[in-house]
């Protein structure tokens, strides 16, 4: 897993937060006792879960020490944060609502993890997650192409890149696991402003595994060329730079 910079991640906080609220709006739980945010990041969205379900005990889980340190500023009597690996996480009691916002794509073979995650739910519990579905868009294609360039490939080496399925795939997976499933996809047209905004966006998320392998003049050369290619792929308009961003949403209820 790459390391994370909470401030870089929060640069486009409104755009990154919107899918979370559109996902959780479809959760039908009325009075859950235990709610977990798996991959909670800096915790600002986990607070919304505690506000929505005012009697629930809410826990945010993340594998990044920097993210958990930032998130702990939101802690309260009902809201706690804990450093833990998503794959090895196990609750001490069944969970009524399990949310994972833009985290599962970082787990290799995460579809194989779905049965064990469902197994942590209480009867009729809810599992809701959202993952990016834009890995074949220019931002990621150009990143992979440049990472394979002989000037940089030696330093970057083999690096695990995020990957996700489509809505139909998750619908099939979770239906076969005994859930009632609502799955859909949305493509947002984010209008970003400022110089090289697409690079600023992806440097906080999808490009981090690659950028962290480079340093000094090599990093400077990579970033310079990557920015040039992104400017061509995402030309600036008088109203800003449009970044199409597809996301995949899944809300599943375990049928007891």
């Amino acid at each position: 897993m790459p390391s994370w910079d909470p401030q870089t991640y929060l640069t486009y906080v409104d755009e990154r937060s919107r899918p979370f609220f559109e996902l959780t709006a479809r959760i039908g739980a009325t009075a859950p006792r235990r709610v977990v945010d798996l991959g909670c990041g800096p915790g600002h969205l986990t607070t919304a879960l505690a506000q929505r379900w005012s009697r629930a005990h809410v826990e945010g889980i993340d594998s990044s020490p920097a993210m958990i340190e930032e998130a702990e500023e939101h802690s309260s009597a009902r809201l706690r944060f804990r450093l833990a690996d998503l794959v090895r996480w196990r609750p001490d009691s069944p969970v009524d609502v399990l949310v994972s916002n833009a985290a599962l794509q970082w787990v290799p073979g995460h579809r194989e993890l779905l049965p064990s995650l469902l197994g942590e739910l209480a009867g009729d519990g809810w599992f809701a997650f959202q993952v990016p579905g834009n890995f074949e868009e220019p931002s990621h294609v150009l990143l992979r192409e440049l990472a394979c360039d002989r000037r940089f490939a030696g330093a970057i080496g083999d690096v695990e890149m995020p990957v996700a399925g489509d809505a139909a795939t998750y619908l099939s997976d979770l239906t076969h696991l005994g859930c009632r499933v609502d799955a859909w996809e949305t493509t947002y047209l984010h209008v970003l402003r400022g110089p090289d905004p697409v690079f600023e966006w992806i440097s906080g998320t999808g490009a981090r595994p690659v950028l962290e392998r480079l340093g000094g003049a090599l990093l400077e050369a990579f970033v310079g060329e990557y920015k040039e290619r992104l400017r061509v792929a995402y030309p600036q308009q008088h109203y800003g730079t449009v970044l199409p961003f597809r996301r995949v949403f899944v809300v599943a209820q375990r049928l007891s």
Side-chain angles (χ1 to χ4, degrees):
M1 288 288 290
S3 63
W4 296 98
D5 180 347
Q7 299 311 314
T8 301
Y9 179 82
L10 291 169
T11 299
Y12 294 103
V13 64
D14 290 342
E15 290 84 355
R16 296 193 196 279
S17 298
R18 181 177 170 185
F20 173 88
F21 291 107
E22 295 185 1
L23 172 73
T24 56
R26 299 292 295 167
I27 299 173
T30 55
R33 291 173 297 177
R34 289 209 62 199
V35 177
V36 174
D37 185 2
L38 205 53
C40 65
H44 61 298
L45 296 175
T46 317
T47 63
L49 301 177
Q51 292 165 1
R52 174 176 174 180
W53 292 298
S54 59
R55 295 185 179 181
H57 289 277
V58 181
E59 186 176 34
I61 303 294
D62 206 281
S63 62
S64 165
M67 287 295 197
I68 289 296
E69 182 179 0
E70 182 83 8
E72 285 178 341
E73 296 182 5
H74 303 288
S75 295
S76 68
R78 293 190 303 104
L79 178 58
R80 292 287 183 263
F81 296 92
R82 180 160 60 94
L83 182 69
D85 180 81
L86 188 156
V87 175
R88 296 175 178 83
W89 165 80
R90 294 294 181 272
D92 54 15
S93 62
V95 175
D96 298 297
V97 176
L98 179 59
V99 177
S100 183
N101 183 59
L104 288 178
Q105 75 275 10
W106 293 104
V107 180
H110 64 264
R111 289 174 59 203
E112 299 173 5
L113 193 63
L114 297 180
S116 64
L117 291 175
L118 289 175
E120 306 299 349
L121 294 179
D124 296 325
W126 295 79
F127 175 35
F129 66 91
Q130 166 290 111
V131 290
N134 68 327
F135 300 119
E136 297 307 316
E137 291 297 311
S139 56
H140 286 270
V141 172
L142 293 172
L143 178 67
R144 294 194 296 266
E145 289 177 353
L146 199 55
C148 291
D149 187 290
R150 64 180 182 179
R151 293 169 295 166
F152 310 112
I156 294 171
D158 293 328
V159 61
E160 196 76 51
M161 301 294 280
V163 65
D166 59 16
T169 296
Y170 294 122
L171 173 67
S172 177
D173 287 345
L174 291 165
T175 299
H176 281 93
L177 290 170
C179 294
R180 178 168 49 235
V181 184
D182 181 11
W184 72 98
E185 300 181 5
T186 297
T187 298
Y188 298 91
L189 298 181
H190 296 308
V191 180
L192 309 180
R193 295 174 176 81
D196 297 306
V198 178
F199 175 80
E200 292 302 318
W201 175 288
I202 197 170
S203 66
T205 51
R208 291 194 68 80
V210 171
L211 299 177
E212 287 188 343
R213 298 291 184 95
L214 302 170
L218 208 57
L219 176 61
E220 184 178 352
F222 185 96
V223 169
E225 186 161 340
Y226 187 34
K227 285 181 176 180
E228 287 183 11
R229 296 187 184 192
L230 289 173
R231 289 185 207 118
V232 174
Y234 302 92
Q236 186 176 25
Q237 309 295 331
H238 71 275
Y239 49 83
T241 300
V242 178
L243 173 65
F245 201 112
R246 173 174 159 260
R247 291 188 183 270
V248 178
F249 299 81
V250 182
V251 176
Q253 185 180 22
R254 181 180 177 182
L255 301 178
S256 59

